Amino acid sequence: MWRELWTTAARAARGPRRWDGRGRGVAAWGCSAPGATVFALSSGQGRCGVAVIRASGPASGDALRILTAPRALPAARTASLRLLSDPRSGEPLDRALVLWFPGPRSFTGEDCVEFHVHGGPAVVSGVLQALGSVPGLRPAEAGEFTRRAFAHGKLNLTEVEGLADLIHAETEAQRRQALRQLDGELGQLCRSWAGTLTKALAHVEAYIDFGEDDNLEEGVLEQAPQGPPHSVPSACLPSPAADVEVRELEVALGAHLRDARRGQRLRSGAHVVVTGPPNAGKSSLVNLLSRKPVSIVSPEPGTTRDVLETAVDLAGFPVLLSDTAGLREGAGPVEQEGVRRPGRGGLEQADIIVAMLDASDLASPSSRDFLDTVVATVGARSPREGGQRLVLVLNKSDLLPAEGPRPGPGLPPSLLLSCLTGDGLHGLLEALRKELAAVCGDPSTGSPLLTRERHRHHLKACLDALGHYKQSKDLALAAEALRVARGHLTCLTGGGGTEEVLDIIFRDFCVGK
């Protein structure tokens, strides 16, 4: 329904089509037409109490005058109740709140107007078609409002990415991280780093200008040059403090690049795999954590014969939760294949492994074999070295005697749980929250996280350039290395991005944003 409404409005705005000589129709306007005013439905689609329609560009004020009575523009950034009418027929469309945002004090930096109309499909369709009939207006492309805000310096590229993440955030942790990036924390950090490199570059280039004729290149990049000739002003020598700051910057960049991709995991979701012998309660736990019947639960061993995956919000973090097949004696070929793929039930791809055992049957051969193979192997790996994190859960605590389970020799720390009664679930969720915070990072504390591979690429390239700076024996090459390093930090915030990169970043925005 909404696709048809938007198509109708787009046709009304485009007007007649021309032909490009190859049999293809081309709209009379282009996405990059200078001075174009764009409009779109900016609120959610579907029936609602209020729908927001936004227009941005030099003709937005004229559009507001044409559609409203009285014709005068309302006070800036003040809601006014106006009657909206079709400019072609004069027929009333709706009585709506309108807001006028003269540039540059607007989201896009241009003149903007918002129509807060009733959210019925007929009302929205009528207003969109009316805007499409105003000369100089055309429907906006996906992300075009935000792209204009970027072009007018209202947002840098990391803030644009934060806005996109905020729109797509599904968990509390994702919301917090996106809001920090939208507030400019990552951009401010990059600008601070770029300022350090600018200062160092200024000192090196000044020393090249003043000291080139005196053959003073040897040792000028050392931390504290001794006894400079009087012919070279000491203020123009490479500053020891600047050189120290560059070395500190190397350390900071290295620390951010060694973050185990926590920010990227926070955006895409951590992989949590529930594994264990048959009938340990794996499927029951997956259903309990996901709050829906993802897996079939049955007393019959081998019910789960493949890896079942579901996306869940677990303790505020995005998680891809996997239920795996349990290995048992006499399993058929289908069940064995379910255990085998991929990598023994997905363990190789897991960030966190929830190892589950039947607390009332710890001495069974299947439980002992699982402890000796999976639990012992995963527990021996250090999470700091890229190993998975392990949470050992002893299920079916409701079947235990009053004195509790009888742990075998060498049993790692574990959590008691009853999937039947829910006892112990709060403790398990708290343990998983701590593990997920370690895997994804805590978005409310610490330094800003790198949330995209693009961030890592530019920081790594910057670090590589600083390595060339350290190794260079020639001042001109050292200055060029600093210039390259600073350029990558500038690209990260959008100062030197290519159109192809910008297209990739903005393509995931919805129409109206």
Side-chain angles (χ1 to χ4, degrees):
M1 176 185 66
W2 286 102
R3 185 181 297 274
E4 295 174 357
L5 294 179
W6 186 245
T7 302
T8 303
R11 287 174 178 169
R14 289 171 183 163
R17 298 172 67 86
R18 59 181 174 83
W19 297 90
D20 64 355
R22 302 179 185 177
R24 298 179 300 184
V26 180
W29 50 266
C31 291
S32 59
T37 298
V38 297
F39 67 92
L41 175 67
S42 292
S43 55
Q45 298 181 353
R47 288 180 175 85
C48 54
V50 176
V52 178
I53 297 173
R54 173 189 288 165
S56 178
S60 57
D62 293 337
L64 180 58
R65 291 189 187 93
I66 290 173
L67 264 67
T68 60
R71 302 293 186 184
L73 291 175
R77 289 168 289 280
T78 301
S80 300
L81 184 64
R82 295 290 179 92
L83 176 66
L84 304 185
S85 303
D86 190 319
R88 295 162 296 187
S89 64
E91 179 183 1
L93 298 173
D94 191 20
R95 192 171 296 277
L97 288 177
V98 298
L99 291 101
W100 164 239
F101 301 95
R105 294 179 59 190
S106 68
F107 172 71
T108 62
E110 305 173 316
D111 289 348
C112 287
V113 62
E114 288 183 359
F115 301 89
H116 293 227
V117 303
H118 292 93
V123 174
V124 173
S125 174
V127 175
L128 289 175
Q129 291 187 56
L131 287 171
S133 68
V134 176
L137 267 68
R138 64 167 176 82
E141 301 292 333
E144 189 165 3
F145 289 107
T146 307
R147 189 157 187 168
R148 291 184 175 210
F150 168 72
H152 289 92
K154 292 294 182 177
L155 297 171
N156 66 41
L157 211 49
T158 57
E159 292 168 347
V160 166
E161 291 168 330
L163 177 58
D165 290 344
L166 188 62
I167 292 172
H168 293 99
E170 296 180 347
T171 71
E172 186 67 13
Q174 287 177 321
R175 180 193 64 79
R176 290 175 180 171
Q177 164 58 26
L179 195 57
R180 287 186 67 182
Q181 190 163 326
L182 176 59
D183 286 343
E185 289 192 22
L186 181 58
Q188 291 168 11
L189 183 61
C190 291
R191 284 193 293 271
S192 172
W193 289 340
T196 297
L197 295 181
T198 300
K199 178 180 178 181
L201 179 61
H203 280 280
V204 173
E205 290 187 335
Y207 192 72
I208 291 174
D209 292 338
F210 281 93
E212 189 175 26
D213 296 335
D214 298 295
N215 195 25
L216 297 175
E217 292 191 6
E218 184 177 356
V220 297
L221 296 183
E222 297 298 328
Q223 190 166 355
Q226 300 295 325
H230 296 290
S231 59
V232 182
S234 59
C236 298
L237 290 172
S239 167
D243 192 64
V244 169
E245 289 177 352
V246 169
R247 297 180 190 275
E248 291 175 349
L249 175 56
E250 280 189 287
V251 174
L253 292 175
H256 275 77
L257 290 171
R258 290 191 302 271
D259 67 347
R261 300 180 184 271
R262 292 197 300 269
Q264 290 171 266
R265 282 192 176 96
L266 185 56
R267 285 188 68 242
S268 60
H271 192 189
V272 177
V273 173
V274 181
T275 186
N279 273 1
K282 301 184 297 297
S283 296
S284 297
L285 179 59
V286 168
N287 291 343
L288 197 61
L289 294 177
S290 59
R291 297 182 292 277
K292 59 184 177 182
V294 175
S295 303
I296 297 174
V297 177
S298 170
E300 177 186 349
T303 304
T304 303
R305 297 191 173 192
D306 203 348
V307 180
L308 303 178
E309 296 181 337
T310 182
V312 300
D313 178 348
L314 196 56
F317 290 89
V319 165
L320 180 63
L321 187 62
S322 297
D323 183 12
T324 61
L327 182 62
R328 64 190 177 101
E329 293 294 333
V334 175
E335 195 174 337
Q336 290 179 352
E337 177 66 15
V339 173
R340 184 192 65 81
R341 69 165 77 173
R344 193 175 175 85
L347 296 187
E348 295 300 324
Q349 288 76 36
D351 298 310
I352 300 172
I353 296 175
V354 178
M356 202 163 191
L357 289 170
D358 184 342
S360 65
D361 193 28
L362 294 178
S364 67
S366 60
S367 295
R368 300 311 308 176
D369 178 67
F370 181 76
L371 285 169
D372 293 339
T373 55
V374 176
V375 175
T377 302
V378 175
R381 303 170 186 165
S382 171
R384 295 181 179 180
E385 298 173 359
Q388 294 109 334
R389 295 176 175 271
L390 177 71
V391 177
L392 180 59
V393 179
L394 305 183
N395 188 30
K396 304 185 182 180
S397 62
D398 53 289
L399 300 180
L400 295 175
E403 61 270 18
R406 297 176 181 175
L411 185 68
S414 57
L415 298 170
L416 273 179
L417 173 70
S418 172
C419 289
L420 181 64
T421 65
D423 289 343
L425 180 61
H426 178 75
L428 174 59
L429 288 175
E430 180 60 23
L432 289 175
R433 186 195 65 79
K434 292 179 180 178
E435 297 294 342
L436 287 167
V439 168
C440 300
D442 188 344
S444 60
T445 61
S447 299
L449 298 174
L450 308 180
T451 58
R452 283 171 165 78
E453 187 60 37
R454 186 183 73 86
H455 302 166
R456 303 185 66 84
H457 165 75
H458 286 298
L459 290 193
K460 187 177 184 305
C462 178
L463 191 60
D464 291 343
L466 293 183
H468 292 301
Y469 163 77
K470 286 172 57 178
Q471 298 170 6
S472 178
K473 302 299 182 182
D474 181 86
L475 279 180
L477 294 178
E480 180 60 23
L482 290 175
R483 198 173 293 111
V484 170
R486 187 183 60 171
H488 280 289
L489 293 178
T490 303
C491 286
L492 200 151
T493 55
T498 64
E499 285 298 314
E500 292 79 7
V501 172
L502 297 179
D503 289 340
I504 292 172
I505 291 173
F506 285 96
R507 70 184 178 188
D508 292 332
F509 277 88
C510 57
V511 173
K513 194 61 181 177

